[in-house]
Amino acid sequence: MIALTFEDWSEIYYALESKSLALRQGKYGSEDEPGQDAEWLAHIDAIRAKIGPDGSLAAHEGITPTK
């Protein structure tokens, strides 16, 4: 099992935020499948909600200290 630090979770959260923003602005995604971007947004939003703001929910237990 990989131990992720609070900073790791925070980085994951903001990577998802960046992807979500790009999708909402139409700068990323496929136009080949109608509705695909909406499905991706819903999936990304669900993951972000589970991780919590700045990764706080995912990192509340077992945080590995950074140097």
Side-chain angles (χ1 to χ4, degrees):
M1 178 176 254
I2 298 172
L4 297 174
T5 65
F6 179 79
E7 291 80 8
D8 293 333
W9 282 113
S10 183
E11 189 171 334
I12 291 167
Y13 179 85
Y14 285 109
L16 290 169
E17 177 71 19
S18 177
K19 182 70 71 179
S20 176
L21 182 61
L23 280 167
R24 290 180 200 286
Q25 293 176 343
K27 296 180 181 176
Y28 179 81
S30 173
E31 296 174 1
D32 296 335
E33 293 183 41
Q36 179 176 336
D37 290 354
E39 290 175 24
W40 287 357
L41 280 169
H43 186 67
I44 289 171
D45 288 344
I47 293 169
R48 285 179 36 229
K50 193 172 268 193
I51 291 173
D54 295 331
S56 59
L57 295 177
H60 78 281
E61 289 186 29
I63 299 173
T64 304
T66 58
K67 296 179 182 178

